[in-house]
Amino acid sequence: MLVFLFVIVKCLKPIYDNFKEKEHVSCPDPYAIPSFQSLMNLSDEAMKAFLTMCQAWRAHAMNWGNFHQNFIGYLEAWKNLRQGHPSKLDVMCLVNKMIAELKNNENTMNSDSMKSVYAKLVKAIEDGWHAFLVIINGDVKNEILFNGVHQISGKDFYAMITGISTFYNDLVHTTNWLIANYATYEELLAACSISEDELVDAIDINGDLTDLSGNELKEVIKSINLSTSKKLKLTGKKADLVERIKKHREGNA
């Protein structure tokens, strides 16, 4: 359970790190901005704050797409393909020859990007893969599109690859609870009573985490439901994990 929680914590780091409101820097739009400001009866200061928030929201939503790609890459038999992979897709499972493109919502693709995504997925099918277009937060039908591309919602996809029907909702609950209770990544690490180096080592000593199964998320849920906002009640064997980290470090010295 501990390593599973630490994987979630590690995947949340970019969410925390990149959440920094910046002044709106888009090119001025002499049509949309003044008209919207007038229709909404906003002051110049309120309009500027609104545009800054919109910009922060777009970046934040994009970071959650990266979260899912990183997180799925830790699940049993799955790999995060990262940039530079020949398929130009997001994640793959070598065991079942599954490969997927992850999108936060349906509206994150315009017609050109949709054509590009489908072309990559069709190419993967031609190369012998089962190809999936995963709409993480979309209420889409689980169906086969043209040329064998499988469209599926994030909820159904997580259920399929973990074998747990509630996994998507459990992950929503866990990440929302952690961020609601710990305003910074440093606070979250402190609540886990672990340093960032220990966190990385704890994950590294498990290799590709081939023993990381979806069932462990239920244990994480139990722990956070028993926790206070100051300290996570970790039900795993922390002493055993710390000893393994120590041996791992000694072996790499």
Side-chain angles (χ1 to χ4, degrees), residues 191-231:
C192 292
S193 302
I194 193 171
S195 70
E196 185 162 12
D197 287 343
E198 288 175 328
L199 180 81
V200 172
D201 282 347
I203 295 172
D204 285 348
I205 61 177
N206 284 270
D208 293 328
L209 296 183
T210 53
D211 60 341
L212 186 62
S213 69
N215 289 311
E216 298 190 52
L217 184 53
K218 291 294 186 184
E219 295 302 314
V220 173
I221 295 283
K222 289 179 185 177
S223 288
I224 65 175
N225 285 342
L226 293 171
S227 300
T228 68
S229 61
K230 295 295 182 183
K231 216 65 163 175

Side-chain angles (χ1 to χ4, degrees), residues 37-248:
Q37 184 174 351
S38 296
L39 290 168
M40 297 299 293
N41 193 27
L42 298 174
S43 66
D44 289 344
E45 184 176 340
M47 188 65 196
K48 183 178 180 180
F50 170 75
L51 292 172
T52 298
M53 186 174 293
C54 286
Q55 186 166 286
W57 162 251
R58 284 193 294 269
H60 185 64
M62 186 181 300
N63 286 329
W64 274 106
N66 295 333
F67 168 90
H68 289 287
Q69 181 175 347
N70 292 331
F71 180 75
I72 290 172
Y74 283 112
L75 292 177
E76 185 176 354
W78 283 85
K79 181 180 180 181
N80 177 0
L81 299 182
R82 309 181 189 279
Q83 290 184 343
H85 191 269
S87 70
K88 297 182 180 179
L89 295 170
D90 292 329
V91 291
M92 66 161 50
C93 176
L94 294 172
V95 174
N96 297 315
K97 292 284 287 184
M98 297 164 63
I99 195 165
E101 175 78 5
L102 309 175
K103 294 295 181 184
N104 271 344
N105 293 289
E106 287 182 281
N107 62 7
T108 56
M109 292 187 294
N110 57 32
S111 58
D112 287 338
S113 64
M114 187 176 294
K115 289 177 183 177
S116 174
V117 167
Y118 281 137
K120 290 184 290 185
L121 291 168
V122 169
K123 175 65 167 57
I125 291 172
E126 292 171 350
D127 291 339
W129 293 87
H130 302 290
F132 292 81
L133 172 59
V134 184
I135 309 299
I136 296 291
N137 303 308
D139 185 19
V140 298
K141 290 182 179 180
N142 187 350
E143 61 181 346
I144 304 296
L145 305 177
F146 67 88
N147 292 324
V149 174
H150 193 152
Q151 177 180 271
I152 188 171
S153 69
K155 184 177 291 187
D156 288 340
F157 186 71
Y158 270 122
M160 178 180 69
I161 66 178
T162 65
I164 299 172
S165 61
T166 61
F167 191 93
Y168 175 92
N169 289 336
D170 291 343
L171 189 59
V172 167
H173 173 72
T174 303
T175 54
N176 284 343
W177 190 95
L178 292 173
I179 290 177
N181 283 278
Y182 307 108
T184 68
Y185 181 67
E186 290 70 27
E187 287 182 19
L188 181 52
L189 283 178
C192 292
S193 302
I194 193 171
S195 70
E196 185 162 12
D197 287 343
E198 288 175 328
L199 180 81
V200 172
D201 282 347
I203 295 172
D204 285 348
I205 61 177
N206 284 270
D208 293 328
L209 296 183
T210 53
D211 60 341
L212 186 62
S213 69
N215 289 311
E216 298 190 52
L217 184 53
K218 291 294 186 184
E219 295 302 314
V220 173
I221 295 283
K222 289 179 185 177
S223 288
I224 65 175
N225 285 342
L226 293 171
S227 300
T228 68
S229 61
K230 295 295 182 183
K231 216 65 163 175
L232 283 167
K233 186 175 179 62
L234 303 178
T235 58
K237 297 181 179 179
K238 180 75 180 292
D240 290 350
L241 183 59
V242 170
E243 184 63 26
R244 291 172 66 195
I245 291 172
K246 181 180 177 182
K247 290 180 179 178
H248 174 72

